[in-house]
Amino acid sequence: MGERTGRSILIAGAGPTGLALALELARRGYRPRLVANAPGPAPINESRALGINARTLTLLEACGATALILAEARRLTEFKISSAGKLLLTIDTEKFRGPYCPIYALPQGQTERLLLQRLSAVGIRPEWSTHLQAVSGDVRNPIVTLLHVNGGAETVLPDVLIGADGAHSAVRKACGFAFPGDAIESRFFLADYRYAQQVDTSFVQMNFLNPGVLGRLPVCEDTLRYVSTIEDFETRIDHPATVLERTWKSDFTISFRHVETMSRGNVFLAGDAAHVHSPAGARGMNLGIEDACWLGWLISEGREQDYSSLRMPVVKTVLKETRRNTTFITLKNPLLTGVRARLMPLLNSIPGFTAAALRNVSGQDTPPPPWIPDAR
Ligand SMILES: Cc1cc2nc3c(=O)[nH]c(=O)nc-3n(C[C@H](O)[C@H](O)[C@H](O)COP(=O)(O)OP(=O)(O)OC[C@H]3O[C@@H](n4cnc5c(N)ncnc54)[C@H](O)[C@@H]3O)c2cc1C
């Protein structure tokens, strides 16, 4: 074990971000310790982050996760946008050039299980039900208190501490990172329905109800997710087959927040611990995995102090884009929704529109990973 790979690394959080980081470090000879207060990965019935983009697939090739994801995920070949049932715009994702489709659908719980499968193959298992309770000391020499499920406390002195512990990050709070931002007014409601037979899972549909919006996304061969800004949206669903059961129901408000720096001393933040935003565009989990892969590479290069300056501009750009998309989707003013309905059918005729939209969806609108030759 080299001098650098011998450094002790503690990752708080075993969501997609923490798992991807552990995998990227493990394949470079590190043995990170991974703790999570959850008892295990995301429940299989909670589809949560559904979209896996082409950039993520490129990033996860080397650790072996991409092949597993491609075997289970569904290609999304079309985006359909309509207003009051009238089709306004279709974006054909087959126009995207590259080894992958711009985006695939796979429920987050399954993605996490595939990452865990790869991690187990390299002999690393997250310590579940292990709560990071406090971080004290100087950020250059953090002192971490862990609480185990049996109530026992443990003090850890890692060389490197990574907070991949989600939107309510204990590491972020304990280490004094500010998390400024705001929440938008609209509330979002979602429900996943399982049908008696296979349904068409090749497309995503967004129907503007003026006011409000109803989206349809594939979860798996017989299950669809519906998401809306309207509380009684389930009465508006045009089910494609006989409903067997509603497998998940949830609602959420959307905040746009990010830290001002993603590292202090030897403490680093990644994923939702560092930034939260709307699911419009399916960037959240993908951006967290991207943070993780950049941090893994920078640690292996002994350049982790460059992490924040390299990632902050990307985070700000993605938050700006998702806010713009969310504002566009949630328009309420009848004048503006009327203009939107008139303009949307013209978009495909604007040179470069489809290519730019697909680049955005694929996650390839941020700098490519320098450690992967020919990466887009
Ligand atoms: C309804 C919904 C739909 C979404 N749809 C999409 C989508 O389509 N596409 C997309 O890209 N994103 C989507 N997202 C966002 C996505 O779920 C998150 O961005 C993603 O889970 C973030 O991953 P993470 O690993 O950074 O954090 P998390 O998944 O939140 O994981 C945090 C980890 O930290 C652990 N933890 C927390 N506190 C502590 C502590 N004190 N001590 C120890 N461990 C701790 C938890 O147990 C967990 O293991 C959606 C989110 C929601 C809620």
Side-chain angles (χ1 to χ4, degrees), residues 36-43 126-130 149:
N37 63 1
E127 296 167 50
W128 301 111
S129 303
T130 303
V149 69

Side-chain angles (χ1 to χ4, degrees), residues 11-19 35-42 47-53 103 108 112 127-133 146 163-171 190 217 225 227 248 250-252 270-289 291:
I11 305 172
T17 304
L19 294 171
V35 298
N37 63 1
S47 56
R48 297 192 196 177
L50 268 179
I52 300 193
N53 66 29
I103 194 154
Q108 184 171 331
E112 290 183 14
E127 296 167 50
W128 301 111
S129 303
T130 303
H131 179 72
L132 181 145
Q133 191 189 34
L146 298 179
D165 49 348
H168 303 289
S169 172
V171 175
L190 71 79
L217 301 93
R225 172 191 292 181
V227 59
W248 187 42
S250 185
D251 63 88
F252 53 96
D272 277 16
H275 42 75
V276 291
H277 55 81
S278 138
R283 298 300 290 266
M285 179 180 73
N286 293 292
L287 194 59
I289 291 174
D291 291 341

Side-chain angles (χ1 to χ4, degrees), residues 117-199:
Q117 190 179 322
R118 290 305 306 145
L119 207 51
S120 158
V122 292
I124 297 179
R125 280 176 207 287
E127 296 167 50
W128 301 111
S129 303
T130 303
H131 179 72
L132 181 145
Q133 191 189 34
V135 186
S136 57
D138 186 81
V139 283
R140 277 166 301 178
N141 299 295
I143 303 168
V144 179
T145 307
L146 298 179
L147 263 194
H148 294 279
V149 69
N150 60 10
E154 179 192 356
T155 302
V156 187
L157 305 166
D159 296 323
V160 176
L161 169 64
I162 295 140
D165 49 348
H168 303 289
S169 172
V171 175
R172 186 186 69 229
K173 290 174 192 163
C175 295
F177 290 85
F179 201 40
D182 57 5
I184 63 163
E185 201 189 302
S186 301
R187 197 164 180 75
F188 284 77
F189 305 88
L190 71 79
D192 290 357
Y193 280 91
R194 190 160 75 84
Y195 296 103
Q197 65 201 65
Q198 291 192 1
V199 291

Side-chain angles (χ1 to χ4, degrees), residues 77-360:
T77 57
E78 257 183 354
F79 290 96
K80 298 179 185 180
I81 300 172
S82 48
S83 182
K86 183 178 167 226
L87 188 63
L88 299 178
L89 178 72
T90 301
I91 300 178
D92 176 3
T93 68
E94 307 278 5
K95 292 194 172 139
F96 182 72
R97 287 199 200 96
Y100 307 115
C101 185
I103 194 154
Y104 296 73
L106 189 68
Q108 184 171 331
Q110 266 171 271
T111 302
E112 290 183 14
R113 280 164 181 77
L114 297 177
L115 297 176
L116 280 164
Q117 190 179 322
R118 290 305 306 145
L119 207 51
S120 158
V122 292
I124 297 179
R125 280 176 207 287
E127 296 167 50
W128 301 111
S129 303
T130 303
H131 179 72
L132 181 145
Q133 191 189 34
V135 186
S136 57
D138 186 81
V139 283
R140 277 166 301 178
N141 299 295
I143 303 168
V144 179
T145 307
L146 298 179
L147 263 194
H148 294 279
V149 69
N150 60 10
E154 179 192 356
T155 302
V156 187
L157 305 166
D159 296 323
V160 176
L161 169 64
I162 295 140
D165 49 348
H168 303 289
S169 172
V171 175
R172 186 186 69 229
K173 290 174 192 163
C175 295
F177 290 85
F179 201 40
D182 57 5
I184 63 163
E185 201 189 302
S186 301
R187 197 164 180 75
F188 284 77
F189 305 88
L190 71 79
D192 290 357
Y193 280 91
R194 190 160 75 84
Y195 296 103
Q197 65 201 65
Q198 291 192 1
V199 291
D200 187 350
T201 57
S202 65
F203 67 92
V204 168
Q205 183 152 35
M206 192 62 74
N207 186 22
F208 298 122
L209 303 171
N210 306 324
V213 63
L214 176 62
R216 166 191 154 147
L217 301 93
V219 174
C220 61
E221 58 186 10
D222 60 357
T223 307
L224 295 175
R225 172 191 292 181
Y226 297 91
V227 59
S228 182
T229 48
I230 296 174
E231 193 161 3
D232 73 346
F233 72 105
E234 288 170 277
T235 59
R236 316 260 192 130
I237 297 173
D238 185 11
H239 289 289
T242 307
V243 172
L244 280 186
E245 60 173 332
R246 187 174 65 199
T247 54
W248 187 42
K249 187 171 181 187
S250 185
D251 63 88
F252 53 96
T253 47
I254 292 174
S255 294
F256 292 86
R257 294 182 186 281
H258 64 75
V259 288
E260 284 154 342
T261 175
M262 291 170 80
S263 67
R264 296 188 65 214
N266 288 315
V267 180
F268 301 84
L269 297 177
D272 277 16
H275 42 75
V276 291
H277 55 81
S278 138
R283 298 300 290 266
M285 179 180 73
N286 293 292
L287 194 59
I289 291 174
E290 194 174 303
D291 291 341
C293 294
W294 276 79
L295 185 53
W297 173 65
L298 289 167
I299 289 173
S300 72
E301 295 279 305
R303 289 181 50 204
E304 62 269 19
Q305 296 307 332
D306 294 342
Y307 171 66
S308 186
S309 59
L310 288 169
R311 293 303 295 162
M312 277 315 301
V314 174
V315 168
K316 287 182 184 168
T317 303
V318 172
L319 258 81
K320 218 162 115 186
E321 278 168 11
T322 54
R323 187 185 272 273
R324 191 193 54 215
N325 291 343
T326 309
T327 306
F328 187 72
I329 289 169
T330 55
L331 284 179
K332 287 187 181 136
N333 181 317
L335 197 68
L336 294 177
T337 56
V339 173
R340 180 177 65 188
R342 277 205 194 87
L343 289 183
M344 294 233 59
L346 309 176
L347 290 178
N348 270 340
S349 57
I350 299 175
F353 168 78
T354 306
L358 293 177
R359 255 173 74 73
N360 183 272

